[in-house]
């Protein structure tokens, strides 16, 4: 299914903590597939972000493999897999 970036962003926020896969292009040009989820609070250390990720079109997720928080840049997102359904980005 092909969706716009905003529709994909809404789909990600609708997961409400369910695990999903995101494929995106990193700054160095390589492609990364990340197994992640939203809403993980277990590893927080009390710090606060100095910026609003939404202003930069970023989504803060928890990487389930590397056990750390990461940012997904919606502008470089290629596809998202949620509950076995693959959503590609409309260019």
């Amino acid at each position: 299914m092909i969706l716009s970036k905003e529709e994909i962003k809404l789909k990600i926020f609708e997961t409400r903590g369910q695990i999903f896969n995101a494929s995106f292009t990193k700054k160095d040009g390589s492609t990364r597939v990340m197994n992640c989820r939203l809403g993980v609070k277990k590893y927080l250390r009390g710090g606060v972000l100095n910026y609003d990720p939404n202003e930069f079109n970023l989504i803060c997720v928890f990487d389930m493999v590397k056990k750390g928080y990461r940012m997904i840049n919606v502008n470089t997102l290629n596809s998202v897999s949620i509950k076995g359904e693959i959503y590609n980005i409309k260019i």
Side-chain angles (χ1 to χ4, degrees):
M1 182 178 255
I2 298 175
L3 299 175
S4 71
K5 291 179 184 179
E6 287 304 313
E7 290 171 324
I8 290 282
K9 202 172 175 179
L10 289 173
K11 286 281 186 192
I12 290 173
F13 285 118
E14 286 173 2
T15 61
R16 291 188 174 85
Q18 295 173 348
I19 297 172
F20 64 94
N21 290 326
S23 170
F24 56 93
T25 305
K26 297 187 334 181
K27 283 184 181 180
D28 65 4
S30 62
T31 300
R32 176 164 183 218
V33 177
M34 183 170 27
N35 190 7
C36 53
R37 65 185 281 201
L38 299 173
V40 175
K41 305 272 189 227
K42 182 176 181 179
Y43 300 98
L44 290 176
R45 294 190 182 132
V48 259
L49 291 174
N50 296 331
Y51 61 95
D52 179 16
N54 209 21
E55 287 181 24
F56 298 98
N57 216 10
L58 301 173
I59 301 173
C60 184
V61 298
F62 185 79
D63 187 334
M64 301 299 291
V65 176
K66 295 191 177 181
K67 302 287 187 214
Y69 295 94
R70 304 288 186 265
M71 293 286 182
I72 295 176
N73 186 343
V74 177
N75 297 325
T76 63
L77 201 57
N78 301 323
S79 66
V80 174
S81 174
I82 303 170
K83 294 184 184 177
E85 186 75 30
I86 298 172
Y87 302 99
N88 292 312
I89 302 294
K90 183 185 340 177
I91 298 174

